[in-house]
Amino acid sequence: MRIHFAVVLSCLILSCSGGPKADLIVYGRVWTGDPARAWAGAVAIKGDTILAVGDSAEVARFVGSGTREVRPTGAFVVPGFMDGHVHLLGGGFQLASVDLRNAATPEEFTRRLKAFAATLKAGEWITGGDWDHEKWAGAPLPDRSWIDSVTLHNPVFVSRLDGHMALANSLALAAAKLDRGARDIPGGTIVRRNNGELSGVLKDEAMGPVFTAIPDPSPSQLDSALTRAMGHAASLGVVGVSSVSTGWNDIAALQRARVRGALTLRVSDYIALGAWRSMADSVAVHGVGDQWIRTAGVKGFVDGSLGSTTALMFQPYGDAPGTRGLLVTPEDSLRRWVGAADSAGLQVAVHAIGDRANALLLDIYDSVAKAHGARDRRFRIEHAQHLRAGDVARFAELGVIPSMQPYHAADDGRWAAKRIGPELIKTTYAFR
């Protein structure tokens, strides 16, 4: 449910003798968000509106015969959280897939895939995974030879936790028609063994052929993934999200859930930047939606990720001096799509992690805003992770929202310095 804070602490606002009665009263240590009175002891709620925040005596007048009173031991009560950057349906599918995130060794990585494959029918794909090779001694990239013998009947395409590279087994490579003769793919990397054979690791745009080979999920599979994702969000107190890189089938699943009365999460959807026209056409016909399902933005990519050594940098990587990362989307396409989406009145959010990627995107946003004139456009840079010192202030100067994820400081932050060196690390994760 959506909660609107309306702090009511006095009978001068609502009559003590009458007035509405609460559907729910929750007692505990309540953080109000009001600096003048940051803490309270109870919250009274009717429908989707907070009637009162105060101590037990102050909310007592809202108790009626139908009021449910909850007194959890040691409760800490806060407004619902909103997450500005999730992959909602993808997360729902991952919750039902193999979990490789904390696999601490290559052997454990292989063991988990073997065990999961044993639960599937022949031909079913194994996706998700969220592995992290930085946990392994020497940080080797995985190889399809690790898993081919334990996934003989199931194509596998399991992603690194950042989503910017994935390991395919031989069945998946065959389904995607990728072999040692495959040409390099612009904006991506096909990782090869010393003998020229494919290792199975594909980075960024090179993942495309395998994604194309994976069968589309059915509506019922999408519905189940959404249910899992919403349940997980609710368990953590998350009541609203921006779902980036969303597809139209995902939005259809949200709409089906709403019709069933099962939608428990408010979602702002951002489809692919390159598909800006379809979003503009949808908004022109149907509007941007409402507080439950909002479809008014597009999301693109400048580069990859630091963990996959595909974030676009000005200087070579300290531990991979042969690369400075990848420009995932050609610059001319970025400029054209951002300009067109902005002209259509859509909010634009673009992923940029490397310092060069962020500098380029700030330049594009600046030129588009100057060309199209002032408006409340709220350009976003997703992650804004590694910034030159001179680019930090440009966010405020240009009115660009740095859509940053503190989680990355706990994840990439473990090893980022070896990639980017002692100077750039000073302006990395510049949350303030």
Side-chain angles (χ1 to χ4, degrees):
M1 87 178 53
R2 184 174 185 179
I3 300 301
H4 306 277
F5 265 104
V7 179
V8 182
L9 303 173
S10 167
C11 291
L12 294 176
I13 299 177
L14 287 175
S15 169
C16 292
S17 59
K21 300 302 180 184
D23 299 323
L24 173 69
I25 295 180
V26 180
Y27 300 88
R29 180 166 167 76
V30 180
W31 181 74
T32 69
D34 179 4
R37 188 176 180 181
W39 300 101
V43 181
I45 302 164
K46 183 176 180 61
D48 65 356
T49 301
I50 288 179
L51 297 177
V53 180
D55 60 28
S56 297
E58 289 167 330
V59 301
R61 62 182 170 277
F62 299 103
V63 177
S65 59
T67 301
R68 178 186 173 207
E69 296 182 82
V70 178
R71 292 183 170 84
T73 302
F76 177 51
V77 184
V78 296
F81 296 113
M82 304 182 80
D83 194 317
H85 184 109
V86 305
H87 301 272
L88 186 61
L89 272 291
F93 280 109
Q94 172 58 37
L95 288 168
S97 186
V98 60
D99 183 6
L100 302 172
R101 180 178 290 268
N102 62 353
T105 64
E107 293 76 19
E108 178 66 10
F109 173 92
T110 300
R111 187 196 68 75
R112 293 190 188 185
L113 278 167
K114 178 181 180 180
F116 189 76
T119 69
L120 301 179
K121 297 177 182 178
E124 288 187 291
W125 280 75
I126 301 174
T127 58
D130 284 359
W131 49 269
D132 183 6
H133 67 297
E134 293 289 342
K135 292 182 177 293
W136 307 334
L141 289 179
D143 189 282
R144 60 189 163 107
S145 63
W146 298 7
I147 63 172
D148 273 349
S149 65
V150 299
T151 57
L152 291 171
H153 307 293
N154 301 94
V156 176
F157 198 50
V158 285
S159 300
R160 188 181 184 275
L161 55 84
D162 57 22
H164 288 269
M165 66 175 165
L167 175 67
N169 69 353
S170 293
L171 287 177
L173 291 176
K177 297 180 172 56
L178 292 174
D179 56 27
R180 68 176 298 156
R183 296 182 178 181
D184 289 337
I185 296 174
T189 300
I190 299 173
V191 178
R192 303 174 189 269
R193 300 170 181 161
N194 291 335
N195 63 3
E197 291 287 347
L198 275 59
S199 73
V201 171
L202 305 170
K203 299 185 180 185
D204 284 296
E205 292 300 287
M207 298 188 291
V210 182
F211 283 138
T212 300
I214 298 173
D216 290 335
S218 67
S220 63
Q221 289 173 322
L222 286 165
D223 292 345
S224 295
L226 176 58
T227 297
R228 285 190 295 271
M230 292 191 300
H232 186 64
S235 75
L236 300 171
V238 175
V239 299
V241 298
S242 290
S243 184
V244 297
S245 302
T246 299
W248 289 110
N249 288 339
D250 299 355
I251 295 173
L254 288 167
Q255 292 167 338
R256 288 194 297 271
R258 185 172 189 177
V259 169
R260 296 194 309 270
L263 188 61
T264 59
L265 190 66
R266 285 169 164 76
V267 183
S268 292
D269 291 299
Y270 292 78
I271 71 163
L273 174 60
W276 66 269
R277 191 180 299 277
S278 66
M279 176 64 87
D281 291 344
S282 175
V283 169
V285 174
H286 304 292
V288 299
D290 57 24
Q291 61 180 330
W292 280 99
I293 304 173
R294 187 171 184 273
T295 53
V298 289
K299 190 254 184 167
F301 291 86
V302 179
D303 62 347
S305 73
L306 197 69
S308 297
T309 61
T310 55
L312 187 64
M313 313 299 296
F314 280 108
Q315 300 300 323
Y317 283 89
D319 59 346
T323 184
R324 300 186 186 202
L326 293 174
L327 181 64
V328 170
T329 306
E331 182 177 343
D332 60 343
S333 296
L334 273 174
R335 290 186 180 276
R336 185 171 68 254
W337 292 342
V338 170
D342 186 68
S343 291
L346 303 175
Q347 187 185 22
V348 178
V350 180
H351 161 121
I353 287 184
D355 59 344
R356 185 176 175 187
N358 278 278
L360 171 61
L361 186 53
L362 286 168
D363 287 345
I364 291 173
Y365 281 167
D366 186 22
S367 64
V368 169
K370 287 177 178 175
H372 295 173
R375 72 175 180 87
D376 184 16
R377 52 176 41 89
R378 305 191 190 191
F379 281 146
R380 289 171 43 158
I381 296 184
E382 304 305 298
H383 312 308
Q385 198 161 308
H386 308 290
L387 305 172
R388 296 182 301 181
D391 285 331
V392 174
R394 294 186 70 197
F395 282 82
E397 292 167 2
L398 301 178
V400 173
I401 297 171
S403 172
M404 304 176 73
Q405 291 69 45
Y407 165 77
H408 290 160
D411 176 22
D412 294 14
R414 293 174 292 127
W415 42 261
K418 73 177 183 180
R419 292 264 201 279
I420 62 176
E423 286 304 311
L424 187 56
I425 202 73
K426 294 177 182 177
T427 48
T428 286
Y429 315 115
F431 298 118
R432 295 187 65 188

